[in-house]
Amino acid sequence: MPDEKRAVKVSKFLSLVLRHQPEAVGITLDEAGWVDVDVLIAACAARGRRFSRAELDHVVANNNKKRFAYSDDGRRIRASQGHSVQVELGLPAATPPAVLYHGTATATLPLILREGLKPMSRQDVHLSADLETAVRVGARHGRPAVLVVDAAGLAAAGHTFRVSANGVWLTDLVPPRWLRHQP
């Protein structure tokens, strides 16, 4: 797929379908978020969103955020995380690094520092292992701000962490006492 603009469009559409609205193309995700690749391609084509298996392979392999994953046999696909539809990714609990990061827009800082990080429309709070990723995430929403999460303290307090296939750390919520703004 030499046309990267098209790859971005396919990726964004797949994010919509595999994370938020599978019904938009008439598919159903299984309880772990998987759908048969051939079913996905046919359903998208039937709704005017045609792409080939080769194009899909390119998107899965080259998406800079590694948003999608194939099953071990390559016959099914799912989003790695970020679902607003109910799925159970089956990710085991993991011990986080001492510190994780969350990128957001500067405008949301007062509310987050007062109420903590909540999953909002998603199933989990998303955290980054490195500052650079958090800055990029925050920049998608306006002027970026980065929050430092005391992940070790949060884990010691009984919060569970999981890490997705693409390295995004997930947890249910982060109360304000475990956050500080990274100026």
Side-chain angles (χ1 to χ4, degrees):
M1 181 186 292
D3 183 356
E4 285 306 313
K5 281 187 177 182
R6 177 161 164 76
V8 168
K9 285 183 181 183
V10 170
S11 178
K12 286 183 177 186
F13 184 70
L14 289 174
S15 288
L16 172 73
V17 170
L18 296 176
R19 294 165 100 185
H20 309 296
Q21 295 178 14
E23 70 279 2
V25 295
I27 62 169
T28 302
L29 306 177
D30 75 10
E31 63 280 350
W34 296 106
V35 65
D36 183 88
V37 170
D38 293 334
V39 169
L40 173 68
I41 291 171
C44 289
R47 307 284 188 302
R49 296 288 192 137
R50 296 188 192 301
F51 52 86
S52 67
R53 173 65 191 244
E55 288 174 307
L56 184 62
D57 290 345
H58 177 83
V59 167
V60 171
N62 296 298
N63 180 272
N64 64 344
K65 295 176 185 157
K66 301 293 180 200
R67 285 195 168 131
F68 314 105
Y70 284 131
S71 59
D72 290 340
D73 64 6
R75 295 173 55 179
R76 296 178 301 149
I77 186 171
R78 73 176 179 183
S80 296
Q81 91 289 320
H83 298 83
S84 59
V85 296
Q86 190 63 40
V87 297
E88 178 49 59
L89 296 174
L91 301 173
T95 302
V99 172
L100 290 167
Y101 303 93
H102 181 79
T104 190
T106 302
T108 63
L109 270 180
L111 179 65
I112 292 172
L113 291 172
R114 189 172 56 252
E115 296 184 9
L117 289 170
K118 301 174 184 177
M120 307 307 283
S121 65
R122 295 183 179 177
Q123 288 186 238
D124 299 290
V125 171
H126 293 191
L127 303 170
S128 304
D130 62 272
L131 184 61
E132 297 77 23
T133 299
V135 169
R136 278 195 313 273
V137 169
R140 295 185 326 200
H141 306 290
R143 199 167 120 234
V146 174
L147 294 156
V148 178
V149 177
D150 176 3
L154 196 57
H159 286 260
T160 301
F161 288 83
R162 295 167 288 120
V163 62
S164 68
N166 61 351
V168 174
W169 284 87
L170 308 170
T171 192
D172 59 345
L173 63 99
V174 180
R177 74 177 277 207
W178 306 106
L179 294 170
R180 73 177 164 79
H181 177 228
Q182 170 79 36

